[in-house]
Amino acid sequence: HVPVEKLYHDFGKPLVVDFSKSPSGRFVSISLSFLVEGAETVDALKKNEPMIRNNLLMLINAQGLENLKSKEGKEKLRAAILSDVASVLEKMAGKGHVQDVFFTSFVMQ
């Protein structure tokens, strides 16, 4: 049994969510990197990026700006992103192993 190669995949452009209607902030910009198993998972992420990007933008928006200010809120978002991406890959590719997701940039202004 050959161990599957673990790879990092940087997720394209940053996810930018406008919270201009919120009294305490204007926008959030988040860059992500996924730890995955195998090159076919990277291919599946690339192929389904429009759907994943859409889902993640809505997910970030639903968290609300106040929640994203705390470490707990960021961890909750990370877990939600991981779960959502795994379900998209399962639905669209029938497989794909995303082990973890990392914020490579998290800017609030």
Side-chain angles (χ1 to χ4, degrees), residues 52-100:
I52 293 170
R53 182 171 285 279
N54 171 70
N55 291 5
L56 297 187
L57 287 170
M58 294 190 352
L59 200 63
I60 294 164
N61 203 8
Q63 296 289 316
L65 195 60
E66 285 307 310
N67 294 326
L68 295 177
K69 289 182 178 177
S70 70
K71 183 175 182 347
E72 294 78 21
K74 288 180 178 78
E75 283 300 325
K76 189 175 165 199
L77 176 62
R78 222 170 62 82
I81 288 171
L82 195 55
S83 171
D84 192 88
V85 170
S87 71
V88 167
L89 291 183
E90 186 62 40
K91 184 171 94 178
M92 299 306 288
K95 62 181 182 315
H97 301 282
V98 178
Q99 290 199 317
D100 213 342

Side-chain angles (χ1 to χ4, degrees), residues 16-20 25-29 65 107-109:
V16 178
V17 177
D18 182 0
F19 285 102
S20 58
R26 290 178 291 286
F27 78 91
V28 174
S29 173
L65 195 60
V107 179
M108 301 174 108
Q109 287 191 326

Side-chain angles (χ1 to χ4, degrees), residues 1-2 4 7 9 19 22 29 36 49-50 66-67 70-71 77 83 93-94 100 103 105:
H1 176 264
V2 180
V4 179
L7 305 163
H9 172 65
F19 285 102
S22 164
S29 173
V36 302
E49 186 169 330
E66 285 307 310
N67 294 326
S70 70
K71 183 175 182 347
L77 176 62
S83 171
D100 213 342
F103 296 129
S105 166

